[in-house]
Amino acid sequence: MTPPSAPAARAAALDAADPLARFRDEFVPAGDVVAYLDGNSLGRPTKAAAERLARFATDEWGTRLIRGWDESWYELPLTLGDRIGAVALGAAPGQAFVGESTTVVLYKLVRAVLDLPEVAGRDEIVVDSQNFPTDRYLLEGIAAECGKRLVWIDAPGGVTLDALAVAVSDRTALVLLSHVAYRSGHLADLPEITRLAHERGALVLWDLCHSVGAMPLELDAWDVDVAAGCTYKYLNGGPGSPAFGYVRADLVERLRQPIQGWMGAAAPFEMGPAYEPHAGIRRFVSGTPTITSMLATGAMLDLIDEAGTDAIRAKSELLTAFALELADELLVPHGVAVTTPRDAARRGSHVTIDHPAFEEVVRELWATGVVPDFRRPHGIRLGLSPLSTSFDEVRIGVEAVRDALERRA
Ligand SMILES: *Cc1c(COP(=O)(O)O)cnc(C)c1O
């Protein structure tokens, strides 16, 4: 048996064989950063986004001025929604919109769904204790506001079908889960969980923040009710770019969202005395959309469309497998624990490793241009963004963690 070759040689071979390697040139150079491993928190800007933002200021905003609203901005929350739907969600036109932060979009969707007559008599909302803070906090508030009770799934390894079966009953109005767990990277079985919740008469809201853009999604085919997700993670929309919402076709006209603003009213420019929701998906728009914050997302969607989400997922699986292989080889001997599922079919595009020294280690790494992120109590997340991350960056990152631990030993 030949011993495994050095990590650098394996990384070079993987990069040489990577059919998506050329996409790395489509991103703005990252300055002093030698390994960017946080694309799951904030994706890198594309070169096209940088150009689009500059051109927008000088040409579109600069010369079209208020006429821009009629020419394209007014429709942008819906045209960009359709584009996200087509490229990344598996959604037919007319079911996705771009709104505010994920938090606010989740609020709109949860409140709208709870008013549906088929679940209005049910008093429970199911959520998991490992879900992202905003999702949990938001539901605490909504439960208090609407007289509902939260039923918590406590599944540190990730929400399974069995765990769901125990929590969902004929009292469940809504289940809110993340497709990929933000901390562990566990990938939930979205189609089967949705099917089980539906069997029991509950609706499901999927938070897609950590899956959209990193894997193929088929929301229409999977019969998803409602969903929301970030655009600044794997859709590279930039800090604070607004979230999207998705609504199943037959629910669009039946839902009424609670933030009744003029831009989602039936006739916005009549400025009439009372609110009536606009026909179709526009009813989910509230106030003036954040046009400049939507430009970069559009640029990234062009790249995702060109690469294809199947190829993106294939590379994501290889990247996370390589990170796990190196973690086992170089970090586990130093007492590091691997939190992310070993089964590629059950993990998203980041790998989480834990060690008590990691808070300090991450500070050191950031200062040297190796940029993963830190999650309490002592986790490092290696976020691997398939179109911008190289296998060699994974190697550099894991070796830097090993070196930092060796310096402490
Ligand atoms: C990143 C993330 C959010 C972020 O919410 P914002 O309101 O956009 O800040 C919400 N939910 C999950 C699961 C996330 O990963």
Side-chain angles (χ1 to χ4, degrees):
M1 228 175 82
T2 49
S5 56
R10 278 181 276 154
L14 286 162
D15 277 323
D18 173 11
L20 301 183
R22 70 184 171 86
F23 285 95
R24 299 205 317 265
D25 290 334
E26 302 290 338
F27 294 84
V28 172
D32 69 330
V33 174
V34 292
Y36 188 60
L37 304 171
D38 210 1
N40 60 325
S41 269
L42 180 66
R44 289 174 56 187
T46 61
K47 289 177 179 167
E51 273 167 37
R52 216 174 272 198
L53 283 161
R55 207 164 6 96
F56 180 82
T58 53
D59 301 357
E60 242 187 277
W61 176 17
T63 68
R64 302 315 300 158
L65 291 164
I66 195 72
R67 296 173 291 184
W69 283 110
D70 287 343
E71 290 162 1
S72 68
W73 306 336
Y74 176 70
E75 293 297 339
L76 192 58
L78 311 187
T79 51
L80 184 60
D82 278 349
R83 181 92 177 121
I84 295 171
V87 172
L89 303 179
Q95 298 176 85
F97 64 97
V98 176
E100 302 76 20
S101 67
T102 315
T103 306
V104 174
V105 171
L106 287 171
Y107 179 79
K108 290 177 167 183
L109 293 174
V110 172
R111 286 295 310 267
V113 162
L114 291 178
D115 283 341
L116 281 171
E118 56 267 43
V119 296
R122 296 172 168 229
D123 67 342
E124 292 181 350
I125 301 171
V126 171
V127 59
D128 78 294
S129 58
Q130 308 294 310
N131 211 333
F132 192 82
T134 223
D135 302 60
R136 294 182 278 110
Y137 300 164
L138 194 70
L139 287 185
E140 282 178 34
I142 292 174
E145 208 170 73
C146 302
K148 306 286 180 192
R149 200 172 77 87
L150 298 186
V151 174
W152 294 94
I153 295 177
D154 199 19
V159 176
T160 60
L161 214 51
D162 289 345
L164 192 85
V166 175
V168 178
S169 72
D170 59 6
R171 293 179 64 177
T172 311
L174 176 71
V175 178
L176 192 165
L177 296 173
S178 284
H179 189 199
V180 172
Y182 82 99
R183 197 178 189 289
S184 72
H186 176 267
L187 173 63
D189 188 346
L190 187 156
E192 286 305 313
I193 287 178
T194 303
R195 202 189 325 270
L196 176 62
H198 285 174
E199 262 172 40
R200 300 192 178 176
L203 292 153
V204 187
L205 197 176
W206 283 102
D207 185 326
L208 306 173
C209 281
H210 275 93
S211 60
V212 67
M215 62 186 67
L217 299 173
E218 295 295 341
L219 301 190
D220 287 354
W222 294 334
D223 201 22
V224 167
D225 304 304
V226 280
C230 290
T231 57
Y232 50 79
K233 291 170 180 166
Y234 297 108
L235 295 183
N236 302 53
S241 61
F244 65 86
Y246 162 92
V247 181
R248 204 177 68 210
D250 63 292
L251 286 178
V252 172
E253 296 283 339
R254 298 185 59 222
L255 293 181
R256 220 176 141 128
Q257 59 96 357
I259 305 177
Q260 303 184 161
W262 71 300
M263 280 274 181
F269 296 98
E270 280 177 24
M271 314 222 159
Y275 175 85
E276 264 308 311
H278 200 283
I281 196 77
R282 173 166 286 283
R283 65 185 50 208
F284 290 92
V285 176
S286 293
T288 303
T290 54
I291 301 303
T292 48
S293 299
M294 294 188 208
L295 304 174
T297 302
M300 182 64 177
L301 285 166
D302 293 346
L303 293 188
I304 294 174
D305 197 15
E306 198 185 327
T309 49
D310 287 323
I312 288 172
R313 174 63 179 169
K315 181 171 177 190
S316 163
E317 289 184 9
L318 289 177
L319 284 165
T320 50
F322 187 50
L324 289 167
E325 175 187 312
L326 292 182
D328 284 339
E329 198 174 314
L330 306 178
L331 305 181
V332 169
H334 290 282
V336 169
V338 173
T339 305
T340 296
R342 299 278 172 178
D343 176 3
R346 287 276 67 87
R347 65 174 185 257
S349 205
H350 68 271
V351 165
T352 303
I353 50 181
D354 283 279
H355 186 284
F358 275 171
E359 185 159 15
E360 262 173 67
V361 166
V362 168
R363 258 197 303 276
E364 278 172 41
L365 296 186
W366 279 36
T368 59
V370 174
V371 185
D373 78 10
F374 175 72
R375 283 291 174 267
R376 269 169 224 296
H378 37 61
I380 281 180
R381 289 191 311 179
L382 305 169
L384 311 174
S385 192
L387 292 186
S388 61
T389 309
S390 69
F391 290 90
D392 204 44
E393 280 178 284
V394 176
R395 192 267 309 170
I396 291 168
V398 175
E399 287 187 344
V401 174
R402 178 209 47 200
D403 294 346
L405 291 173
E406 274 178 0
R407 279 195 297 276
R408 281 172 172 71

